[in-house]
Amino acid sequence: MTKPLRIAIADDEAEIRRFFEEIVRRLGHEVTASVGSGRELVEQCGSPPPDLIITDVLMPGMDGIEAVRQIGHEHPVSVIVISSLDATELDNRCGCEHVVAFLTKPIKASELETAISRSAQVC
């Protein structure tokens, strides 16, 4: 196994956050933040920044893409983008070279595990 990652999670649905947290911990990684909005994500991803962010796109207030942009200005960080939107729409909107995976809801545990494992090789 590669070194454990420090992972921040953002989704406005608490049940989905718990699902992601369970998978992250089961894979031996640390959850550094688990928040319900982009604004909270920015606030929680200061110094030291996480190694990886798992974020939903559509959240109240600031969405996940804007949050990742703001965080990336200070600290480049790998990102797994989660959404119910089509990945091609997201790819055009993200424009972020640090996105390691786009996953479309509903997310299977195996999909998230594969994306995290792939990102662990990049981090």
Side-chain angles (χ1 to χ4, degrees), residues 7-81:
I7 301 175
I9 298 167
D11 195 295
D12 57 333
E13 296 181 49
E15 184 176 319
I16 292 175
R17 286 195 311 272
R18 284 191 297 274
F19 172 70
F20 292 164
E21 289 169 19
E22 178 184 316
I23 292 169
V24 165
R25 289 184 177 117
R26 186 175 60 210
L27 293 173
H29 303 294
E30 176 188 355
V31 175
T32 61
S34 183
V35 299
S37 73
R39 175 65 52 215
E40 291 173 304
L41 183 62
V42 171
E43 291 169 359
Q44 295 293 317
C45 289
S47 188
D51 300 309
L52 175 67
I53 294 172
I54 301 171
T55 185
D56 189 13
V57 173
L58 302 176
M59 293 185 284
M62 180 186 297
D63 70 22
I65 293 172
E66 181 57 32
V68 166
R69 281 188 188 134
Q70 286 189 23
I71 294 164
H73 287 301
E74 296 291 319
H75 312 281
V77 59
S78 295
V79 180
I80 296 173
V81 176

